[in-house]
Amino acid sequence: MLRLEEQTAVERSFAARLLLDAEVIASRPTLAEAIGYPEGELSKTNTMGLIHAGAHLASDLGSHLVFSSGVGQRSILGHRYVFGGGYVEGLGSTLVATSPVFGWRDAVALRETVDAQRNTFVAIAERSVVVGYEHLVAAVAVVA
């Protein structure tokens, strides 16, 4: 379960933090215009950054806005898209541009117990995950 659910759970938590850190969330009427906003803001800071977006927006971007490279999806200007299942609910129709992201995680800790009265064996696998970035550059919501 940890392998299946960990990434989405981390993305959901990270999305909440991104929205909290975004002082201003701009709005644009179309996805194409919304993509232009973080591209421009990243260019102003001369940062090769990440654009975080829900996986549900990936197909709407189309081939004219995204091209594949050896390390994932990149924008026309070379910024890396980070599409995630946890961002679908976490960010919704909001795109967030950040400086590169770093992550740390510890080893999986397994705790188990037996409830003899209910004839149940319970095992819990957990670990701590920390995700950080230096600077949130821009956030924009698609408001149709």
Side-chain angles (χ1 to χ4, degrees):
M1 291 303 291
L2 183 66
R3 286 186 188 156
L4 292 174
E5 296 178 359
E6 182 181 39
Q7 181 174 338
T8 307
V10 169
E11 288 169 354
R12 238 182 271 117
S13 295
F14 188 58
R17 183 62 202 211
L18 287 172
L19 293 177
L20 185 67
D21 288 348
E23 294 175 10
V24 175
I25 299 178
S27 62
R28 297 293 184 267
T30 66
L31 186 57
E33 290 178 82
I35 286 297
Y37 180 74
E39 291 271 10
E41 295 301 309
L42 285 164
S43 296
K44 286 180 191 177
T45 63
N46 198 26
T47 304
M48 287 310 291
L50 305 175
I51 300 174
H52 306 268
H56 63 292
L57 298 177
S59 63
D60 291 341
L61 287 171
S63 61
H64 64 285
L65 294 174
V66 180
F67 66 90
S68 294
S69 67
V71 290
Q73 303 295 319
R74 293 201 178 263
S75 72
I76 292 171
L77 295 180
H79 303 290
R80 186 168 167 229
Y81 285 107
V82 182
F83 295 110
Y87 290 157
V88 173
E89 291 177 2
L91 292 177
S93 63
T94 302
L95 306 171
V96 180
T98 66
S99 59
V101 174
F102 301 94
W104 300 268
R105 61 185 180 187
D106 64 357
V108 174
L110 183 63
R111 293 183 291 148
E112 51 189 50
T113 187
V114 175
D115 183 354
Q117 293 178 342
R118 295 190 179 106
N119 195 26
T120 305
F121 172 79
V122 178
I124 297 174
E126 60 185 358
R127 74 166 136 204
S128 295
V129 177
V130 178
V131 180
Y133 59 94
E134 185 178 347
H135 184 63
L136 188 140
V137 178
V140 60
V142 180
V143 181

